[in-house]
Structure formats: C-alpha cells, structure tokens
Amino acid sequence: MDLWYTEKQTDHFGITAKIKRSLHTEQTPFQKLDMLETEEFGNMLTLDGMVMTTERDEFVYHEMVAHVPLFTHPNPKHVLVVGGGDGGVLREIIKHPSVEKATLVEIDGKVIEYSKKYLPTIASAFDDDRVEVIVGDGFMHIAESRDAYDVIMVDSTEPVGPAVKLFEKGFYEGISKALKEDGLFIAQTDNPWFKSDLIAKVYKDVKEIFPVTSLYTANVPTYPSGLWTFTIGSKKYDPLAVAEERFHPIDTKYYTKELHKASFALPKFVSDIIK
Amino acid sequence: MDLWYTEKQTDHFGITAKIKRSLHTEQTPFQKLDMLETEEFGNMLTLDGMVMTTERDEFVYHEMVAHVPLFTHPNPKHVLVVGGGDGGVLREIIKHPSVEKATLVEIDGKVIEYSKKYLPTIASAFDDDRVEVIVGDGFMHIAESRDAYDVIMVDSTEPVGPAVKLFEKGFYEGISKALKEDGLFIAQTDNPWFKSDLIAKVYKDVKEIFPVTSLYTANVPTYPSGLWTFTIGSKKYDPLAVAEERFHPIDTKYYTKELHKASFALPKFVSDIIK
C-alpha cells in the first residue's frame, strides 16, 4: 500500500510525504491529533491536518524560537512557553544555564502525552527539575500573571481552533503585563508568502505595545513556503544589540550567533509587509 | 476537473500545486518541457518534471543569482550565463549599469521560445541591446573561452540530463580559464536538506580551484525544502568584503544589501556540510 500524507497549505498548494504508517489518530477536545511515521522526516505530529513538527526538521523551529530571545535577554531566569506541548522549545530552553524555571502551559494534554510516546527526542525535557508543566489555557494563564516572566515564547498552532485568541492584540497586552519590566516575548507568526496579512497585523499590534519590535525568519521545510517568521516584542533589550561576549557556547544544529543577527535581515518583500 | 501538479522532490517528499490548465507540453531534444498555469504561482515552467521557475516566486532565485556576484565584482562588464533560458537572470543582470554585454548560452532553444511566450515578465530582456543569445552547449562554450568574462553564472537544471557535466570539477576548471584574472563565478547548487552530498562535492571542487569560495542561501518556496544554495568561486573579490558605497540602488523584491551579507550566515548544519 502506498500511503501519502498530503497537506493543502493553501487552497492551491501543499506538500505530500510518503508515510510508513499511522501511529495514532484522535479527536481531542481541542483538535484532531495525528502521529504519522514518514519515510523522509521520521515521526510527524499534525494537528487539524497541519504539520506541527517532525523528527527530522524540528530543530530549526525549536532552536530559533528559544535561542534568539534567550540570548537577547542578558539574564533570563523564568521562562514561559504558551503551547509547545511537543516539548521541543523546553528542550532548548534548559540549555541556558541562567534559566531557573521553565513553565509550559499547553491547552491539550494529549499533545504532551503522544509527543512523549512518539517524539521522545523532542519531548526530552519534561522530567527536568527546572520544568513546570501546566495543562491549561495559556490565554488565561497570561491574563492572570503579573510581572512574572523574563521571557515568554508563544509556540502556538496557526490562528484556527484553540489558538485564535493568541493572535489578538489583547493577548499581547496581557503578555506585556505578565512580563517583568525588562522582559521580552516571541511568537511564531507564520509565513510571508501566504499569510502576509497576519504578519502585518501582528507586527502592528506588537509595535503599539512594545518599544522594541522585530521580525526574523528561519527555513522549515515542512512548513508552508519553507520560510517561517517570528515576531519579537521587547520592553528593553534589542535582539540586534547582543554583545559578542554574551553568546555562550551552545549545542545546536541550526542556530549560530552569526545567524542570530543574520535572521533579522529580511527579504525586501518581507520588510515591505511590516512597513 | 481538479488538476494538480505533484512533484516528487525526493523519493518520499514533494509539493503539489493546483493547475488551471496545461499551456504546453513537449519532449525537446534535451528534456521534457511543460508550461502549466497554476492557481497559486502563476505560470510555471517544469523540465523533466522539476519546477524551474514560476511567475510568483521567480524573483528570489533570479535576483540572488545575479546581484550577489555583480555587487561583489567592482566593475563587471562582460557577463556569461550558462543555461538560464527563461531569461530571468538576464533581466536582473542588465539592471547593473556597468554591464556592457550579457551573453547567454542555453542548450535548449525551446526553453527560450516558450518562456518568451508564457513567461513574458521573466523573459523580458532578450531584446536588450547588451544581450547576446547563443543556443548551444554551455560546457563547450566554456571550454573554448579564455580570459573572456568578468562574471559567469551557472543557471542550470539539476545534475540530471543535459546538466550533468555542469557539476563536474573539469567544468569549474574551464570556468576559471574562461574568467578574466579577477573574475568570479556563481552556480546554483541545490538544497542542503536532500542534496548535501552534491553541495559538499561542488564546494570541495571549487575550493581547490578558486582562492575565495563561499556558499549562500535563499528561500524559494517551489524548490525542494524551500532553502536553496549558491556557490561562489572567485579569483580575487570576496562577496563579504563589498564596500558599502558600492551598493548602488537597485529595484528588487528579495535582494537587499543587508541580505547580501546575511545570506552567507549559514545554518549550523549547512556549514557542517562544507567543512
């Protein structure tokens, strides 16, 4: 039998990946969860028919979500991840010795459960002493937090289903209050080829709240267009002004200190989106 | 009728694009040529079942092939394009006022013919006074040229079919002889996710011939993995040492002078390939 996973990333374009077998499929209270064993990318997690992560290319997204903000902040001690139930961002966060506590608030406990089972190299940090896991609503957690975090990372799904609220201006205002006075946050903000309106809106909203706002990119082959964006909102620290001596050695496959800065050099059509 | 173009970019992974109709299909003496009208990317040229260019995302590849070497060379007058029958690289080359002559050697005249017909915004430079078109074998043209070009751009297909010779060390040795004493060349060298062996081999070969060798990347959504590499071999000029004042204004949608330098900051796993 010749099985292929085909994802329509737009109405008219998508990717297709040969799969060995379906490992798990389930309608959780929040979304449709599928774990597939693919030929090219190892095990792959999809939610509502969209690739969230694969064993082969996950390092790009997880490293770029975690290390850009954590090297930007001079002394990040308490970090919050909203979403991120596969654990990949947590795994990267605890590589930073300054981090004393990493709190993850994932709305869908099933994502954590099946990531631990089928994506063990990604979900490898859940047992770390510094990690706290809350299965609950990240939006509410942010709304109830004050002056609590040095860095917040929004590792959400696309703005459909449970994540819709995580792309609204009120959420970013809540993040600002949940951050300490010199805190910063980063959110994944989709791709510039098919979702330029979303990027423009988020950037404008964040810029109205945070004195330092920047966009950076990374290449993720299994995400639409292969070019992913991340938006930073920061109260004080500029991700482009990190002193050379602050880049301590770190074990990565994508991130480097040179790429940290280079990832903010945007293609002309991308910088036009956020003008 | 619901028509989709599906390209297996590896044995186990690919892209799929909804098409409105097939505009032309032909077995030329060199390859299978298809021109498709797609919903998402406008008209699309494929050769032997691989996307060569689309109206929507062509600017990335063509700008990055042309402008990185042309801003690296302080005074490029005579430029050679090997391949590039769609005309996109030519269109970018003639934006540089120093260029007196741009010679294109394309082995397959049908590529030029149908690009003019169906990709007119890409094939827009063929009538420029500075452009010379030769329908012939680029490998042979290189072998017969001595001290002739300031910049050579290898805009080839993948190393299957007519382009196999264009990825061999002997070809790069020929390029070195065809270049003037301070000349440089650039070649498209596929993607680092699925073709790392090719990149490693080309880089090694080029490095044994040229004193300055570098790799840079760009995001092309319709190419495998979305991350494309380009290899530069240069006798004298370093693409990372371009003086600020040499970046004259130029009309682009992807290339910027900041991105020129940033595109050489490689993801860790890519720099490991060429170590």
Side-chain angles (χ1 to χ4, degrees):
Chain A
M1 199 166 51
D2 210 27
L3 291 175
W4 290 75
Y5 165 80
T6 300
E7 176 183 335
K8 282 173 69 171
Q9 297 172 326
T10 75
D11 288 343
H12 305 122
F13 184 68
I15 54 166
T16 186
K18 193 166 193 305
I19 67 168
K20 293 180 181 175
R21 57 183 176 139
S22 167
L23 298 166
H24 185 76
T25 182
E26 176 173 347
Q27 180 67 48
T28 79
F30 301 98
Q31 51 209 345
K32 175 91 173 351
L33 182 158
D34 280 279
M35 196 69 74
L36 303 167
E37 184 182 353
T38 75
E39 293 276 359
E40 191 71 73
F41 290 97
N43 291 352
M44 170 191 276
L45 169 68
T46 74
L47 296 174
D48 287 337
M50 291 175 280
V51 174
M52 289 299 111
T53 198
T54 80
E55 287 181 315
R56 179 154 177 213
D57 72 353
E58 56 88 12
F59 64 91
V60 180
Y61 177 87
H62 294 135
E63 290 180 11
M64 291 301 277
V65 165
H67 300 313
V68 174
L70 290 179
F71 278 108
T72 297
H73 194 295
N75 189 24
K77 289 180 179 171
H78 196 176
V79 180
L80 173 68
V81 181
V82 176
D86 57 47
V89 169
L90 276 184
R91 181 196 61 198
E92 298 304 313
I93 290 170
I94 63 168
K95 290 179 181 174
H96 288 258
S98 72
V99 172
E100 295 169 359
K101 192 173 178 186
T103 301
L104 179 133
V105 183
E106 163 64 55
I107 201 165
D108 193 341
K110 292 290 183 182
V111 173
I112 299 173
E113 180 182 345
Y114 288 99
S115 296
K116 283 182 177 174
K117 185 165 182 183
Y118 292 113
L119 304 170
T121 58
I122 302 175
S124 61
F126 284 107
D127 293 332
D128 189 277
D129 287 345
R130 289 165 289 169
V131 168
E132 171 190 42
V133 176
I134 300 169
V135 176
D137 185 339
F139 187 91
M140 289 308 298
H141 183 89
I142 289 287
E144 291 160 359
S145 300
R146 284 288 177 284
D147 199 25
Y149 297 104
D150 299 300
V151 175
I152 295 175
M153 302 172 187
V154 186
D155 177 11
S156 70
T157 56
E158 301 315 279
V160 288
V164 168
K165 290 179 296 186
L166 306 185
F167 289 85
E168 290 173 359
K169 191 174 180 187
F171 181 60
Y172 306 129
E173 288 165 342
I175 283 179
S176 178
K177 290 174 187 155
L179 285 168
K180 293 181 187 163
E181 64 181 358
D182 63 348
L184 61 98
F185 93 103
I186 173 259
Q188 74 84 4
T189 43
D190 219 306
N191 81 87
W193 287 92
F194 309 127
K195 293 289 184 67
S196 56
D197 289 353
L198 177 76
I199 293 169
K201 184 192 169 300
V202 169
Y203 195 86
K204 181 173 173 289
D205 288 348
V206 172
K207 201 170 179 185
E208 285 171 10
I209 302 167
F210 289 86
V212 181
T213 306
S214 311
L215 192 77
Y216 63 100
T217 70
N219 159 254
V220 185
T222 56
Y223 286 0
S225 87
L227 186 67
W228 214 245
T229 73
F230 307 86
T231 301
I232 280 189
S234 175
K235 294 185 179 180
K236 182 173 178 185
Y237 306 112
D238 183 345
L240 283 169
V242 180
E244 189 68 16
E245 67 272 16
R246 288 239 311 284
F247 289 103
H248 56 79
I250 195 157
D251 179 32
T252 59
K253 288 191 274 186
Y254 190 91
Y255 178 93
T256 70
K257 65 182 180 182
E258 292 79 18
L259 202 66
H260 175 117
K261 296 190 176 178
S263 67
F264 290 89
L266 302 175
K268 172 81 163 49
F269 82 102
V270 180
S271 59
D272 286 346
I273 292 170
I274 58 171
K275 246 179 197 161
Chain B
M1 201 166 47
D2 209 28
L3 291 176
W4 290 76
Y5 164 80
T6 300
E7 176 182 335
K8 282 172 71 171
Q9 298 172 325
T10 75
D11 287 343
H12 305 122
F13 185 69
I15 56 166
T16 185
K18 193 167 191 309
I19 68 170
K20 294 180 180 175
R21 57 184 175 138
S22 166
L23 299 166
H24 184 76
T25 183
E26 178 173 347
Q27 181 67 48
T28 79
F30 300 98
Q31 51 210 345
K32 175 93 175 344
L33 183 158
D34 280 279
M35 196 69 76
L36 303 168
E37 185 182 352
T38 75
E39 293 276 359
E40 192 71 73
F41 290 97
N43 290 352
M44 170 190 277
L45 168 67
T46 74
L47 296 175
D48 287 335
M50 290 176 280
V51 175
M52 290 298 111
T53 197
T54 81
E55 288 182 314
R56 180 154 177 213
D57 72 354
E58 57 87 11
F59 64 91
V60 181
Y61 176 87
H62 294 135
E63 290 180 11
M64 291 301 277
V65 165
H67 300 313
V68 174
L70 290 179
F71 277 108
T72 298
H73 194 293
N75 190 26
K77 289 180 179 171
H78 196 176
V79 180
L80 173 69
V81 181
V82 176
D86 57 48
V89 168
L90 276 183
R91 181 195 63 198
E92 298 304 314
I93 290 170
I94 63 168
K95 291 179 180 173
H96 288 258
S98 72
V99 171
E100 295 168 0
K101 191 173 179 187
T103 302
L104 179 133
V105 183
E106 164 63 55
I107 200 165
D108 192 342
K110 292 289 183 184
V111 173
I112 299 173
E113 180 182 345
Y114 287 99
S115 296
K116 284 181 176 174
K117 185 166 182 184
Y118 292 113
L119 305 170
T121 58
I122 302 175
S124 61
F126 283 107
D127 294 332
D128 190 277
D129 287 344
R130 289 166 289 169
V131 168
E132 171 191 41
V133 176
I134 300 168
V135 176
D137 184 339
F139 187 90
M140 289 307 297
H141 183 88
I142 289 287
E144 291 159 0
S145 299
R146 284 287 177 281
D147 198 26
Y149 298 104
D150 298 300
V151 175
I152 295 175
M153 301 172 188
V154 185
D155 177 11
S156 69
T157 57
E158 302 315 280
V160 286
V164 168
K165 290 179 297 188
L166 307 185
F167 289 85
E168 290 173 359
K169 192 175 180 187
F171 181 60
Y172 306 127
E173 287 166 343
I175 283 179
S176 179
K177 290 174 186 155
L179 285 168
K180 292 180 186 162
E181 65 181 357
D182 63 349
L184 62 99
F185 92 104
I186 173 258
Q188 74 84 7
T189 41
D190 218 307
N191 81 87
W193 287 92
F194 308 128
K195 293 290 182 68
S196 57
D197 289 353
L198 177 75
I199 293 169
K201 183 193 169 300
V202 169
Y203 196 86
K204 181 174 173 289
D205 287 348
V206 173
K207 202 170 179 186
E208 286 172 10
I209 302 167
F210 289 87
V212 181
T213 305
S214 310
L215 192 78
Y216 63 101
T217 70
N219 158 253
V220 184
T222 56
Y223 286 0
S225 87
L227 186 66
W228 214 246
T229 73
F230 308 86
T231 302
I232 280 190
S234 175
K235 293 185 180 181
K236 182 172 179 185
Y237 305 112
D238 183 342
L240 283 169
V242 180
E244 189 68 15
E245 67 272 14
R246 287 239 312 283
F247 289 103
H248 56 79
I250 195 157
D251 179 31
T252 58
K253 289 191 274 187
Y254 190 91
Y255 178 92
T256 70
K257 65 183 179 181
E258 293 79 17
L259 203 66
H260 175 116
K261 297 191 177 179
S263 67
F264 290 88
L266 302 176
K268 172 81 164 49
F269 81 101
V270 180
S271 59
D272 286 346
I273 291 170
I274 58 171
K275 245 178 200 163

